[in-house]
Amino acid sequence: MSENIKMDPQTILCDMCAEEDRKPAKKTCMKCEISMCVQHLQAHLTTPVLLQTHPLTEPMALCGNTKCSQHGKLLEYYCLDDMTCVCVSCAIEDQHRLHNMKTFSTAHKELLEKLKAEQLILQEKTDDENVSLEKWEKSEREKLGRCSVRLIEAVTKLRDISLTSVQSSVSARLGPIKTSKSSLEAAQKEKDTFRFLQMYSQVHQDVEKAKTVDLRKGLEPGSHRDKLVEEIKQNGEKMVSQASQFWGSLLTLVDPEHHQELVPTGSDLIFEPQSLEHDVLLSTDKRKVLCTNWTALYSSHMFFIKSTLPIPDFKRWVISISKDCDWAIGLCDSTYATNMIDGHVYGLCYKDNQLTSVTTESSLGINETQPRKGFRSQATQRPRQLYKPAVSKQVINTPGGNVEPQMNRPEIVEVVWNFPSSLSFFSRIGQHQTVNILTIKISSTSSDLKPFVRLDGLENEMYSNAARPTLYGMGYQVQQQYRNQWKCSCGKIYNESSDGYRYGGSFYPKSSQSTCSCGRPIASPLSIAVLCELL
């Protein structure tokens, strides 16, 4: 009897059977919204009208969700674009009319095949020992282990050389104390008055000498201490470097989105100058822009970044820029590189204490006239409209605004060219941390775009907005006079005249050897400054 048949709780039962003898359903009719056993299904299978207009599915619990909530019609199709069931009105009239539509059976078959393919991909991914959890964990442990071992070795070495040297110094310093102790004991044991008095002078000297001993004092001054101090400094720098690598690896492990180890720019990348003054030059490897005179920074210097390889293929570069320069970094074509006005440019600028994005968009312009056919009169000529590139700028940060501190003035900028559609800029902080500045969409289809960096000189405080009209009104001679300057390594800029140097309200004559407040002789030769470097 049916009462003795144990049913699976999830089995769909026939809705047309008597309540006390319900059999398992064979199919479900979406239109009738009922499930039917083999016996009650026969009408749907033998009646042509029902067979054609009543879609049958595998047994399922309907719960009243077979009708379109918007049109009240039967759900008959599946929209692959929106991944939802729709009725015929949705498919041919409303928002799904241009979408990829399938019948339920076809969609079921296609999506099932898609899931099987994705399952294989995931299976291959999990079966691949290169990405297995065990191998990943082992690799990360080994990497962190190497960092921690190097850090421990650096710390241990620094500790040992310091303690060993100081211990030797303390041991030598203990000599007078031991001598005074022996002298005191010998004097206290002496019973003869005459010999005691003869000994006292030496005992007193030994005691006084012992009293001056300071065991907490470091090494005695001399070449040995200087050599050890230098060795400690060198090992200390190694220790700090190892510590930085260790915590950087930990940050990269837990937050790889914002902490990634700085990968150096390819060694094949070099600067290609578009213009150079006599005081600006390139290093031998052409990866550094050098400056020998502060006045050289009053003009702009344009450099392309190119590869020395026969077939260049680079989409990333990292640049370090001096605080003494305003700058622009990005992509431009040869036209923009020539006049810095026309042409295409996409980049990031730092000028007047502000970060600015620079993009090129096409604008409709009138640049020439063209006569109409059949007319030769000048009056009947009409202008021809052409699309011309137009540079637009947008300020990213305002000094003192609510922005990341590193975005006020990034000193190391990483540029990633997601060829060919976008250009991303990141501020690098140390060896591991990055801050995303912005991403620019590239609309130009020109193949002439090249990576560039432009260096602009900072304006001296004498060229403030208040003073500029007065100075410029005096003519070229005055301007040239104030362009003869000497910049100290501490940052102060001295204006040179025929008889001396001026800073603020102070005057320093050339006849005497004057010094800056930092102690450096005024007008002494400065070391060559690095304005820009490919890291």
Side-chain angles (χ1 to χ4, degrees):
M1 295 293 293
S2 61
E3 291 84 355
N4 297 326
I5 299 176
K6 291 185 178 180
M7 295 289 186
D8 188 331
Q10 296 182 350
T11 300
I12 304 299
L13 301 178
C14 178
D15 294 321
M16 300 183 69
C17 290
E19 187 65 30
E20 64 276 5
D21 191 23
R22 297 179 67 184
K23 298 180 178 62
K26 185 68 175 177
K27 293 289 184 180
T28 296
C29 177
M30 298 292 290
K31 190 168 186 178
C32 298
E33 296 186 353
I34 59 173
S35 299
M36 296 166 286
C37 63
V38 175
Q39 178 185 350
H40 293 105
L41 180 63
Q42 293 304 312
H44 275 71
L45 297 178
T46 58
T47 306
V49 175
L50 296 178
L51 186 61
Q52 295 176 5
T53 61
H54 286 229
L56 299 175
T57 69
E58 295 301 313
M60 59 183 294
L62 296 177
C63 303
N65 58 356
T66 62
K67 301 292 180 63
C68 176
S69 59
Q70 183 177 356
H71 302 100
K73 295 182 179 181
L74 181 67
L75 299 174
E76 299 182 71
Y77 301 97
Y78 188 79
C79 176
L80 293 178
D81 293 340
D82 293 335
M83 292 183 289
T84 185
C85 298
V86 299
C87 69
V88 65
S89 294
C90 292
I92 64 176
E93 296 177 0
D94 289 341
Q95 67 270 25
H96 300 280
R97 65 184 182 277
L98 299 179
H99 292 184
N100 188 8
M101 295 297 194
K102 299 290 182 181
T103 62
F104 283 177
S105 58
T106 303
H108 181 196
K109 182 179 179 180
E110 291 185 2
L111 294 178
L112 187 60
E113 292 298 323
K114 181 180 179 181
L115 288 179
K116 289 180 180 179
E118 291 176 345
Q119 184 181 24
L120 290 175
I121 294 174
L122 291 176
Q123 188 66 37
E124 291 176 359
K125 197 170 185 178
T126 54
D127 291 345
D128 186 357
E129 62 177 10
N130 291 326
V131 294
S132 66
L133 179 61
E134 293 79 8
K135 187 162 185 177
W136 172 83
E137 182 181 10
K138 181 180 179 182
S139 173
E140 292 299 326
R141 283 184 177 274
E142 289 178 351
K143 182 171 66 175
L144 293 174
R146 289 192 295 269
C147 289
S148 59
V149 167
R150 288 195 295 265
L151 176 59
I152 292 173
E153 289 177 348
V155 173
T156 302
K157 184 175 182 180
L158 190 62
R159 178 201 64 190
D160 290 346
I161 62 174
S162 302
L163 287 178
T164 301
S165 299
V166 173
Q167 184 180 17
S168 300
S169 177
V170 171
S171 298
R173 222 172 291 148
L174 286 172
I177 297 179
K178 293 179 180 179
T179 301
S180 66
K181 183 178 180 180
S182 300
S183 299
L184 285 171
E185 291 176 352
Q188 291 172 350
K189 291 178 181 179
E190 183 58 56
K191 302 300 182 181
D192 184 80
T193 300
F194 179 73
R195 277 187 293 184
F196 173 82
L197 294 175
Q198 283 186 321
M199 294 171 57
Y200 181 79
S201 175
Q202 184 62 44
V203 172
H204 175 72
Q205 292 180 16
D206 293 342
V207 171
E208 290 299 319
K209 187 175 182 180
K211 286 165 63 177
T212 61
V213 173
D214 183 3
L215 297 180
R216 294 173 298 179
K217 185 180 178 181
L219 272 64
E220 295 293 335
S223 60
H224 177 67
R225 186 181 70 175
D226 296 341
K227 181 180 179 181
L228 181 60
V229 168
E230 187 61 31
E231 186 177 357
I232 291 174
K233 286 181 178 179
Q234 293 176 358
N235 283 277
E237 291 174 356
K238 293 180 181 178
M239 182 185 70
V240 172
S241 175
Q242 298 296 343
S244 175
Q245 291 183 17
F246 180 66
W247 69 256
S249 298
L250 292 176
L251 289 173
T252 303
L253 178 66
V254 300
D255 185 17
E257 182 180 357
H258 299 97
H259 299 86
Q260 296 180 359
E261 187 171 3
L262 176 59
V263 179
T265 299
S267 59
D268 60 299
L269 298 188
I270 61 173
F271 288 118
E272 182 182 53
Q274 301 302 295
S275 60
L276 276 182
E277 293 189 5
H278 65 282
D279 290 321
V280 175
L281 62 154
L282 291 179
S283 59
T284 305
D285 59 4
K286 297 184 179 180
R287 291 174 60 88
K288 295 180 182 178
V289 178
L290 309 174
C291 176
T292 59
N293 191 326
W294 172 249
T295 60
L297 289 180
Y298 277 94
S299 57
S300 296
H301 303 274
M302 186 80 170
F303 300 86
F304 278 138
I305 301 171
K306 73 170 192 176
S307 173
T308 57
L309 298 177
I311 304 178
D313 181 24
F314 69 95
K315 303 295 183 291
R316 174 188 170 277
W317 54 98
V318 183
I319 298 181
S320 171
I321 304 179
S322 168
K323 294 184 295 183
D324 292 329
C325 295
D326 284 344
W327 46 263
I329 301 173
L331 300 171
C332 74
D333 57 18
S334 55
T335 303
Y336 183 83
T338 302
N339 55 31
M340 299 185 192
I341 299 176
D342 299 323
H344 291 85
V345 59
Y346 304 90
L348 179 70
C349 295
Y350 183 86
K351 188 173 182 62
D352 298 331
N353 297 320
Q354 287 186 333
L355 277 176
T356 305
S357 65
V358 180
T359 58
T360 300
E361 300 174 353
S362 295
S363 63
L364 191 62
I366 301 174
N367 69 337
E368 62 179 50
T369 58
Q370 180 181 14
R372 297 181 182 178
K373 292 183 178 180
F375 295 88
R376 298 180 179 273
S377 173
Q378 180 71 22
T380 61
Q381 288 184 345
R382 62 180 180 182
R384 184 173 67 181
Q385 295 179 329
L386 294 176
Y387 283 96
K388 298 179 62 177
V391 177
S392 63
K393 300 181 180 181
Q394 183 176 359
V395 176
I396 299 174
N397 71 325
T398 301
N402 185 21
V403 297
E404 289 280 352
Q406 295 83 4
M407 285 184 61
N408 287 332
R409 185 187 178 91
E411 295 183 13
I412 300 178
V413 180
E414 181 177 4
V415 188
V416 178
W417 186 3
N418 301 307
F419 185 84
S421 59
S422 65
L423 193 65
S424 299
F425 298 88
F426 302 87
S427 173
R428 298 291 319 203
I429 300 96
Q431 186 69 16
H432 295 88
Q433 188 176 356
T434 60
V435 175
N436 180 259
I437 301 176
L438 87 155
T439 297
I440 297 175
K441 291 185 178 180
I442 300 176
S443 59
S444 172
T445 58
S446 172
S447 60
D448 188 32
L449 292 178
K450 300 177 183 178
F452 80 94
V453 58
R454 189 185 75 233
L455 306 178
D456 299 315
L458 294 173
E459 293 195 13
N460 186 270
E461 62 268 16
M462 294 194 64
Y463 294 102
S464 63
N465 290 332
R468 185 180 292 117
T470 304
L471 287 173
Y472 279 27
M474 294 179 182
Y476 174 79
Q477 294 298 328
V478 174
Q479 295 179 43
Q480 185 64 29
Q481 173 187 353
Y482 286 106
R483 289 173 69 104
N484 294 328
Q485 297 175 330
W486 178 83
K487 182 183 179 183
C488 184
S489 56
C490 69
K492 291 184 178 180
I493 301 175
Y494 293 80
N495 296 303
E496 181 183 5
S497 59
S498 58
D499 55 347
Y501 296 87
R502 296 184 182 275
Y503 177 78
S506 303
F507 176 74
Y508 304 89
K510 289 184 176 180
S511 57
S512 61
Q513 186 57 56
S514 303
T515 59
C516 178
S517 58
C518 68
R520 187 183 186 91
I522 297 176
S524 61
L526 294 175
S527 59
I528 296 177
V530 178
L531 300 182
C532 179
E533 179 180 5
L534 283 169
L535 299 181

